[in-house]
Amino acid sequence: MQVEFVLLILSLLFFVSIITDKIGFKFGVPALLLFLAVGMLFGPEGVFTWFGDKDVIGYVIGIGPAQAIGTIALCVILFSGGMDTKINDVRLVAGPGVTLATIGVLLTCIVTGILIYFIFKWSSTVETVSIWIALLMAATMSSTDSASVFSILRTNGIKLKHNIRPLLELESGANDPMAYILTTTLIGIVMTWNKDLTLLGIVQDILIQLVMGGVMGFAFGKVVVELLKRSKLNNESLYPIMVLTACIFIFAATYYLQGNPYLAVYIGGLIIGNSRFTKKRQTKSFFDGLTWLSQLVMFLMLGLMVKPSELILLKVWLPCLIISIIMIFISRPLSVFVCLYPWSDVYTQRDKVLVSWVGLKGAVPIIFAILCEASGVPSSGLIFNVVFLCTIVSLIVQGTSLSAIANKLKLATPQEKEKKLVYFDIDLPEEIEASAHESEVTAKMMTNGNQLKDLPVPAHTLIIMARRGENFFVPTGSTELQVGDKLLVISDGNAKQVVQEMEEEEEQILTHWWLQMTHDTKNFVHDKLDKIVETQKHLNAQRHAKKNKQ
């Protein structure tokens, strides 16, 4: 098959996925679900089979390449998530967040695994699995994916109360490593089970992975920050690439040091993202695009691997439906209420219900299911199909109803969308406590004159650039402005507050002008009336004098 043909199809897939993402934002559907749908549409039983193409242009991806692509993509996504997480925001929710990400994942795995075991044991339509396979299936689905949750919240303009958002942000970033530990540990138990294996040894291995992953992530993160500060690269485009290289290095080095690589990259990203270094803004923008690319590739790949004919089998969709109900309404709420019990004075019952509902599954469970198949785990095909369908059910049921549930629990407040710069392309460093916004010159603003110095500009605010049509220029105090000119305003306060102050000052000017005009008019009328009265008195005096002469 020609490389050009493959590239053509892949580019079309990417275009379709990007368009569906915009549709998903409009209707509140998680982007992950749409990406998977696009992949399935062009997968081994998709549109190409309608034209007799049984090979499906090579889209049946092997387990080895799928595992490698998924690992790299998840590494980048977790690292970028750590960079975007503000330590100051999650510091207040560190206790409950870490508890949910560790003990919560463990409880979800145990409760779900036991119930899965009995479901397969009692049902005559599905194959029987061992308790360890059931726990392994539950472990792959024990983590949450809040990235799609936040995209829905941003799209619908919803802001969560009571610090729930940073709690979910911390949990979603830190629970994937715990799910990875449980998955790999259970794979080892299933594949190399022996009598010498003890519960103490399993717990010890988990603790070692967590500790080493945390230590390595913190240490490597600090080293990378110092390296970025001291590096004087001639090509500034290499700074984001250096951070990407550091991300991959942290993952690989931690793996060989017997630590948890996913926890290490998340903590490494957290350290780097909350430090100051050269070209930080460009680096974060680079990782934002790279994260979306990773998600797009990963979700399309997973969709291309699925065979719908296997998913519609009774032995697959029936246990999947039951397991999804168990995870949504039993195991997830149980783990949340248990983990947040010590913080009952902080989080109300409604808060806990909402956190329970935000147990969205994402691509991570499917990647862990691929890991099971790559390791040769018995019933790995069944695990992949069940996990895939449970993820779809979670996205449809929980993802599309999140906004309604948040409003129903009265934990959502309208969030005003931040106005982005349209006519000027400028980014301010995060370290500078300033904001940039645009303002259009109106006739009201030029009441006192058409020069820049005559505009009602609040204190601690500068107008640093102007745009007239397609031309840009730097204005001075004597620059004559025209109605419709666009101004770039920099202020050390909030942009919304600055705009409000400018509008208030405009209103004050208009009010002052109106009062002044009214005052002048009143004086004018009084003067005229006084003159009329004086004239009338004078005329009356003349008439009276004339009458006396007569």
Side-chain angles (χ1 to χ4, degrees):
M1 184 178 300
Q2 291 183 345
V3 176
E4 292 80 3
F5 183 66
V6 175
L7 293 177
L8 175 63
I9 298 300
L10 288 177
S11 61
L12 291 175
L13 282 174
F14 273 68
F15 276 125
V16 173
S17 299
I18 293 171
I19 294 173
T20 55
D21 176 62
K22 185 176 181 64
I23 297 174
F25 274 7
K26 183 177 181 180
F27 294 99
V29 180
L32 169 57
L33 182 60
L34 297 173
F35 293 163
L36 288 174
V38 172
M40 294 174 65
L41 184 63
F42 293 91
E45 296 178 359
V47 294
F48 286 100
T49 58
W50 302 348
F51 302 98
D53 186 359
K54 301 300 182 182
D55 183 51
V56 198
I57 61 173
Y59 280 169
V60 182
I61 301 177
I63 295 299
Q67 181 185 357
I69 294 173
T71 300
I72 297 173
L74 184 56
C75 172
V76 172
I77 291 171
L78 286 176
F79 185 83
S80 179
M83 289 189 66
D84 292 335
T85 301
K86 305 291 185 182
I87 292 182
N88 293 331
D89 294 340
V90 301
R91 183 178 287 114
L92 297 177
V93 297
V98 173
T99 303
L100 283 173
T102 52
I103 299 177
V105 171
L106 181 61
L107 288 176
T108 302
C109 175
I110 294 174
V111 174
T112 307
I114 294 174
L115 294 176
I116 287 176
Y117 170 74
F118 286 107
I119 290 172
F120 279 82
K121 182 179 180 180
W122 293 337
S123 178
S124 59
T125 60
V126 294
E127 59 184 87
T128 303
V129 297
S130 65
I131 184 63
W132 297 112
I133 295 294
L135 288 172
L136 176 58
M137 188 181 298
T140 60
M141 299 184 291
S142 57
S143 63
T144 62
D145 178 51
S146 294
S148 55
V149 174
F150 296 140
S151 67
I152 296 174
L153 295 177
R154 287 193 298 267
T155 302
N156 296 336
I158 293 178
K159 182 180 180 181
L160 299 178
K161 300 177 182 178
H162 306 161
N163 272 342
I164 296 179
R165 181 188 174 95
L167 174 65
L168 296 172
E169 189 175 26
L170 178 60
E171 181 201 6
S172 64
N175 62 9
D176 288 336
M178 184 64 182
Y180 172 78
I181 291 177
L182 293 176
T183 301
T184 54
T185 301
L186 289 168
I187 289 176
I189 293 175
V190 171
M191 299 301 297
T192 61
W193 174 259
N194 58 76
K195 298 181 180 179
D196 296 332
L197 193 63
T198 62
L199 180 61
L200 180 62
I202 295 175
V203 174
Q204 183 179 359
D205 182 63
I206 292 177
L207 291 177
I208 290 175
Q209 286 195 49
L210 289 175
V211 172
M212 287 297 295
V215 171
M216 291 299 101
F218 181 83
F220 284 136
K222 288 293 185 181
V223 171
V224 172
V225 170
E226 289 299 321
L227 182 62
L228 290 170
K229 289 181 178 180
R230 298 177 184 273
S231 299
K232 304 295 181 181
L233 301 178
N234 295 327
N235 190 346
E236 296 179 350
S237 301
L238 293 177
Y239 283 101
I241 299 177
M242 179 184 292
V243 178
L244 175 61
T245 305
C247 166
I248 299 173
F249 173 81
I250 293 173
F251 181 89
T254 305
Y255 173 82
Y256 284 107
L257 292 173
Q258 305 302 314
N260 188 307
Y262 293 110
L263 179 61
V265 294
Y266 177 75
I267 294 181
L270 191 67
I271 297 299
I272 295 173
N274 286 272
S275 302
R276 298 182 181 182
F277 57 88
T278 306
K279 299 301 175 183
K280 180 179 178 180
R281 173 76 66 173
Q282 291 85 333
T283 301
K284 296 189 72 173
S285 298
F286 171 79
F287 268 91
D288 287 341
L290 191 61
T291 298
W292 274 106
L293 177 63
S294 300
Q295 291 179 353
L296 205 58
V297 171
M298 185 168 58
F299 301 156
L300 283 173
M301 175 196 70
L302 297 175
L304 293 171
M305 295 180 62
V306 176
K307 296 181 179 180
S309 61
E310 296 180 357
L311 300 179
I312 62 176
L313 295 176
L314 182 63
K315 70 175 185 178
V316 176
W317 70 261
L318 179 59
C320 159
L321 182 60
I322 300 174
I323 294 169
S324 298
I325 294 174
I326 288 173
M327 297 194 70
I328 293 174
F329 296 101
I330 299 178
S331 57
R332 170 67 178 179
L334 179 62
S335 63
V336 169
F337 275 79
V338 170
C339 292
L340 295 183
Y341 179 77
W343 293 274
S344 297
D345 57 332
V346 178
Y347 298 101
T348 64
Q349 297 295 327
R350 292 183 177 182
D351 297 336
K352 296 175 185 178
V353 171
L354 182 60
V355 174
S356 301
W357 195 255
V358 190
L360 236 67
K361 308 306 172 190
V364 175
I366 306 177
I367 293 176
F368 290 162
I370 293 175
L371 179 61
C372 295
E373 195 165 351
S375 303
V377 173
S379 304
S380 58
L382 177 63
I383 293 175
F384 179 84
N385 289 330
V386 171
V387 170
F388 186 89
L389 274 180
C390 287
T391 300
I392 300 299
V393 172
S394 174
L395 289 171
I396 293 175
V397 175
Q398 295 173 293
T400 57
S401 62
L402 174 61
S403 300
I405 295 296
N407 287 316
K408 187 69 176 179
L409 295 172
K410 299 181 179 180
L411 294 175
T413 57
Q415 182 178 16
E416 296 184 7
K417 295 183 179 180
E418 182 181 354
K419 293 183 178 180
K420 297 182 179 180
L421 298 180
V422 177
Y423 301 100
F424 301 91
D425 186 10
I426 183 174
D427 283 325
L428 297 178
E430 293 181 352
E431 293 78 12
I432 299 178
E433 296 182 356
S435 57
H437 74 279
E438 298 172 346
S439 179
E440 182 175 348
V441 178
T442 62
K444 296 180 180 179
M445 298 172 62
M446 295 191 295
T447 303
N448 290 339
N450 64 345
Q451 293 185 349
L452 180 63
K453 62 183 179 181
D454 300 324
L455 296 185
V457 179
H460 307 289
T461 302
L462 293 176
I463 298 176
I464 63 173
M465 191 174 296
R467 175 173 176 170
R468 182 174 298 161
E470 297 298 326
N471 299 321
F472 295 87
F473 58 93
V474 178
T476 61
S478 58
T479 299
E480 294 184 355
L481 300 175
Q482 298 178 6
V483 175
D485 287 350
K486 308 299 186 302
L487 304 179
L488 177 61
V489 183
I490 304 294
S491 174
D492 59 2
N494 181 269
K496 178 183 175 182
Q497 182 180 357
V498 172
V499 174
Q500 185 177 0
E501 289 180 1
M502 291 186 70
E503 292 176 351
E504 289 176 354
E505 291 199 19
E506 289 178 29
E507 190 66 26
Q508 290 175 2
I509 290 174
L510 290 175
T511 304
H512 175 73
W513 176 79
W514 174 256
L515 292 175
Q516 185 65 38
M517 182 185 68
T518 305
H519 181 266
D520 293 343
T521 304
K522 182 179 179 181
N523 292 338
F524 173 80
V525 172
H526 278 294
D527 291 341
K528 290 298 182 182
L529 289 175
D530 291 341
K531 289 182 179 179
I532 292 173
V533 172
E534 290 294 332
T535 303
Q536 189 65 35
K537 289 181 179 179
H538 180 69
L539 292 174
N540 290 337
Q542 288 181 346
R543 291 173 185 170
H544 184 70
K546 186 176 181 181
K547 188 181 291 185
N548 290 334
K549 288 181 180 180
Q550 292 177 352

